[in-house]
Each structure stands twice: as structure tokens, then as C-alpha cells.
């Protein structure tokens, strides 16, 4: 068999290699879950990670409380070129299974809006649960281990690392994606996929703030820190969640959700008054001759209303006489409030993105076992795959479910 190498071999002083049934690259959410599952199946499992500590993303996620799953999960909550791919693993390991696991360990948790479950105390409690499961299952975890070379010969994978040479029959790539390089995120998983001839779908930042240039950046900067409950639409998907003005543009859950569907050069559309019959209310204002500004302040913060009326004066009047505005103008103004169309200049990039869209093409792996179809013994799980969840615990649930499905198949 040919020797596949993704880097040139460094001088290796180790003459002997250590064999394990299964080696998992990445001690993150999916890797630890997979490791414990395979360990309980009686497999000798070694997890290798170059970071100083396991599961750095769990530790900081959800503002330190980790939104670890959601009560309402379906394939609709995921973006993947094959929309059916996630169904098998998610149905075999639903959120109720993960909740059962954390309850067994006595984790205190709480349900917040839109079915999101968070740790009540610290996200590190969840890491402890995963580490305990790995200990009970006899899994070894080796951190500060840099992978230098990978080769495949005679049915065995050989990894040359900063901690020695390791061999295994089954190699699981759980090394995550490109978001948050400061937490040791790398594209190693994509390199390994390409090394073995697997297709990788182009990546881009997801669940990420959107940046604006020129006058809109200045305008949003002036409102920085202000949040609004609105509906945001991008690429045909709408989300009724809050947005936040920042110095560089827009953020907040509604924007992060929409960013997954936004493409460069396309607009986002914000409905500032969702669930309101805006035109009917404007007609009523006209009848009463009431103040547009006061009406807007019933639904939006005063700072926003002041700015809005400067940006979009009705009939060019900052304080229009409502009684004299035509119905057509009112309809047009209502449309403006409900379809505020904005053109972001860019996203805030991988450094600020919670996830990475794209990744290893799911057509290349089995949806049951996660083994590569054209490379026996090589598996890909978690975020390295072309599977991205919405905001709300969906990405961790994918990590748990793909980790368990793969672990059972090893
Ligand atoms: P993960 O990234 O967890 O693990 C990959 C592991 O591989 C890491 O330990 C890394 O060090 C290691 N690795 C990478 N390159 C390597 C290399 N070259 N050599 C050796 N090891 C390597 N999701 C959610 O559902 N709810 C939430 O609340 C949040 N919150 C959140 C906040 C922030 C700031 C971020 C950045 C992300 C989230 N997420 C989230 C997303 C969630 O963290 C993510 O989807 C999962 O951690 C993905 O799990 P994986 O196991 O695939 O990768």
C-alpha cells in the first residue's frame, strides 16, 4: 500500500510504536463521546489532542454554561448538502439519551427559551462527566500531542506524533473545524480527508456576527450595545430572535442564525415589528393624527426610534403630520419597517464564528458508522463533517450523536 503523508516526516527518535485498537484524533465533544462508547464495547482506545486540556470549546460555550442540547431536534435544524444524512445518528441518539446520561451523573441543568438546555453551574461539570465516562470505559487521553505524520500500510494507520509513534486498525478523526483558532482549532481533519482522496466541501464561518462598511458601520456603532427582538431573514430562512448592534455591525442570536444562510453579496432582511399588523396600526395612527415616534417607541427603544426617523423620515419629515400622509406612503413606510434590507460587507471571520460550515463531504462516509466509504478503518465525526447546526445546542447534540454512532460501530 502507498504511504500517504500529509506532512514531511520529522526526525523520529522512537523506534517502537504503541498499538491500540482505536485512536481518536481530538479530545473534544465528539471524540470523548466516541471514545467512551468504544471503550465500553471493550476496545482499547487512545485519544490524542494537541491542546493542553481536553474539550476547550465545551468549557467556554454558552457563556461558560454550555448549551449542551435542545428539547426539540430534527434534521431541519441542520445544514448539510445531504439533508437526510443526520437523521440516522440523531434518531439513534436523541437529546433524551444525552439528558439521561447527565442526569445519571447528577448534573444540575436548566431549560431556557426555545428548548435550549444549559448547565446550571459550570460547563466544566459536563467535561468532568465525559472524562469520568472515559475513565470508566478505560480510555486513555493524551493531550499536548502534536500529530506530525499519518500513514496507512497493510491495514494499519501509523501516527508519528510529538509523544511517539502510535498504530491502530481504526482511526477516528474528531478534530473539529476552523472556528476559534485560539482554542486550538485546526483544519487537520480536512487534510486527512484529502490525503485519502475524500472530497471536502468548501468551508466558511457560521454562527458568526456580520460586519458592515461605511455609513452603516458608523450608524450601528452609534447604537452599539442595543438589542432588539426582531425577525431576521437570509437565504430564505427566517429566525425570530434578538439582534445586537456592535461597533463593527450586527450580532446577537438572530444574526448568528441568519449568518449560516447568508452568502457574500446577498442582503439580510429584518422585520422590526414581527407579529404586528403594521399597516393597520399606521392607518389607525393617521385617523387619530397621533405621533409616529411615540407609536414606534411602544415597540422599539427610544434610541433606535430616534435614529430610525433620521435614517428614514416619513415623507422627508422628521415629525410628520400623520393626518396628511397618503395611504400609499403609509403602506410603503410599513414595508420599510417590516423589510429593512441591509447588505453586510462580510462576516466577522473564523475567529468569532461558533462553527464552520462545509467540511468533509457526507457522501464520502456511511451515515450509520461514519466510516469513509473508500478508506477502510477511517472515520469522521462531529464538526469536521459538512454538518452545521442552528444555534441552540444543536451542534453539541450532533457531536454526541455522531460520536455514539461511530463508537458503537468500531
Ligand atoms: P471540538 O472542536 O469540540 O474538538 C476538536 C478537538 O480536536 C479539540 O480538542 C482540538 O484541540 C483537537 N484538535 C484540533 N486540531 C488538532 C490537531 N491538529 N492535532 C490534534 N488535535 C487537534 N455548540 C452548541 O451546541 N452549544 C453551544 O453553547 C455552543 N457554544 C459555542 C461557543 C463557542 C465560542 C464556540 C467556538 C463553539 C460553540 N459551539 C456550541 C459549537 C461546538 O463547540 C462545536 O460544534 C463542537 O465542539 C464540535 O465538536 P467536535 O468534537 O467536532 O470538535
Amino acid at each position: 500500500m502507498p504511504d500517504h503523508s500529509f506532512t514531511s516526516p520529522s526526525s523520529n527518535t522512537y523506534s517502537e510504536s504503541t498499538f491500540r485498537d482505536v485512536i481518536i484524533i481530538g479530545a473534544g465533544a465528539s471524540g470523548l463521546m466516541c471514545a467512551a462508547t468504544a471503550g465500553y464495547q471493550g476496545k482499547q482506545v487512545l485519544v490524542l489532542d494537541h491542546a493542553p486540556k481536553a474539550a476547550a470549546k465545551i468549557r467556554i460555550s454558552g457563556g461558560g454554561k454550555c448549551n449542551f442540547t435542545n428539547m426539540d431536534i430534527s434534521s431541519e435544524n441542520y445544514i448539510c448538502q445531504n439533508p437526510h444524512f443526520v437523521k440516522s445518528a440523531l434518531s439513534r441518539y436523541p437529546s433524551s439519551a444525552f439528558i439521561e446520561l447527565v442526569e445519571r451523573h447528577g448534573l444540575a441543568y436548566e431549560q431556557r427559551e426555545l428548548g435550549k438546555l444549559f448547565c446550571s453551574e459550570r460547563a466544566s461539570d459536563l467535561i468532568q462527566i465525559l472524562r469520568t465516562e472515559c475513565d470508566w470505559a478505560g480510555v486513555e487521553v493524551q493531550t499536548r500531542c502534536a500529530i506530525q505524520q499519518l500513514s496507512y500500510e497493510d491495514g494499519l494507520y501509523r501516527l508519528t506524533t510529538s509523544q511517539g509513534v502510535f498504530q491502530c486498525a481504526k482511526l477516528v478523526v474528531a478534530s473539529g473545524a476552523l472556528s476559534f483558532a485560539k482554542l486550538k482549532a485546526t483544519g487537520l481533519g480536512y487534510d486527512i480527508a484529502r490525503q485519502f482522496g475524500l472530497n471536502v466541501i468548501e468551508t466558511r464561518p457560521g454562527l458568526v456576527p456580520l460586519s458592515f462598511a461605511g455609513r452603516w458601520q458608523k450608524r450601528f456603532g452609534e447604537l452599539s450595545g442595543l438589542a432588539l427582538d426582531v425577525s431576521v431573514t437570509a437565504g430564505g430562512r427566517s429566525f425570530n430572535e434578538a439582534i445586537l448592534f456592535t461597533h463593527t455591525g450586527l450580532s446577537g442570536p438572530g444574526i448568528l442564525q441568519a449568518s449560516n444562510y447568508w452568502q457574500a453579496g446577498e442582503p439580510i432582511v429584518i422585520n422590526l415589528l414581527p407579529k404586528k399588523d403594521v399597516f393597520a396600526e399606521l392607518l389607525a395612527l393617521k385617523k387619530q393624527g397621533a405621533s409616529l415616534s411615540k407609536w414606534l417607541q411602544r415597540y422599539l427603544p427610544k434610541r433606535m426610534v430616534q435614529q430610525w426617523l433620521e435614517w428614514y423620515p416619513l415623507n422627508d419629515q422628521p415629525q410628520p403630520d400623520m393626518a396628511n400622509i397618503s395611504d400609499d406612503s403609509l403602506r410603503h413606510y410599513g414595508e420599510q419597517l417590516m423589510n429593512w434590507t441591509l447588505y453586510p460587507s462580510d462576516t466577522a471571520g473564523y475567529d468569532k464564528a461558533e462553527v464552520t460550515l462545509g467540511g468533509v463531504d457526507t457522501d464520502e462516509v456511511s451515515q450509520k458508522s461514519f466510516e469513509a466509504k473508500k478508506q477502510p478503518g477511517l472515520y469522521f465525526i462531529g464538526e469536521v463533517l459538512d454538518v452545521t447546526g442552528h444555534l441552540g445546542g444543536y451542534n453539541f447534540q450532533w457531536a454526541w450523536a455522531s460520536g455514539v454512532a461511530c463508537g458503537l460501530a468500531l
Side-chain angles (χ1 to χ4, degrees), residues 6 25-32 48-58 60-63 65-69 117-118 145-147 173-177 179-180 183-189 207 350-356 381-385 387 389-400 402:
F6 62 87
I25 303 178
S30 64
L32 293 177
L48 303 177
D49 199 300
H50 68 161
K53 281 186 177 171
K57 280 193 184 165
I58 296 179
I60 59 131
S61 65
K65 299 216 168 170
C66 186
N67 175 197
F68 57 83
T69 193
L117 298 192
F118 287 78
C145 181
I147 317 290
V173 181
S175 54
S179 310
F180 265 63
L183 295 180
K184 307 292 266 178
T186 71
L188 175 69
L207 297 180
Y350 289 114
D351 285 351
K352 297 269 163 61
E354 289 198 9
V355 291
T356 301
I381 56 172
E383 204 186 321
V384 72
L385 287 164
V387 173
H390 289 174
L391 190 79
Y394 300 101
N395 286 293
F396 278 130
Q397 185 59 34
W398 173 245
W400 317 136
S402 59

Side-chain angles (χ1 to χ4, degrees), residues 158-186:
R158 182 182 167 88
L159 291 116
T160 307
T161 78
S162 57
Q163 308 277 344
V165 177
F166 301 95
Q167 293 200 87
C168 60
K170 298 193 169 177
L171 179 67
V172 181
V173 181
S175 54
L178 295 172
S179 310
F180 265 63
K182 68 179 172 198
L183 295 180
K184 307 292 266 178
T186 71

Side-chain angles (χ1 to χ4, degrees), residues 78-80 85-86 356 358 360 362 382-383 385-389 395 398:
Y78 293 88
I79 301 163
C80 175
F85 180 80
V86 297
T356 301
V360 176
T362 56
E383 204 186 321
L385 287 164
D386 168 38
V387 173
T388 304
N395 286 293
W398 173 245

Side-chain angles (χ1 to χ4, degrees), residues 52-127:
K53 281 186 177 171
K57 280 193 184 165
I58 296 179
R59 195 176 304 276
I60 59 131
S61 65
K65 299 216 168 170
C66 186
N67 175 197
F68 57 83
T69 193
N70 195 291
M71 296 301 285
D72 182 17
I73 290 192
S74 82
S75 59
E76 289 292 300
N77 302 114
Y78 293 88
I79 301 163
C80 175
Q81 282 207 351
N82 173 359
H84 304 293
F85 180 80
V86 297
K87 289 180 180 170
S88 171
L90 289 174
S91 66
R92 283 182 289 151
Y93 195 81
S95 51
S96 56
F98 193 74
I99 293 166
E100 192 274 322
L101 170 73
V102 299
E103 283 182 348
R104 211 167 355 103
H105 284 264
L107 180 86
Y109 66 90
E110 61 197 38
Q111 183 170 338
R112 297 195 196 159
E113 79 289 350
L114 303 172
K116 299 172 191 170
L117 298 192
F118 287 78
C119 301
S120 298
E121 304 287 334
R122 293 164 302 270
S124 53
D125 296 340
L126 191 55
I127 302 176

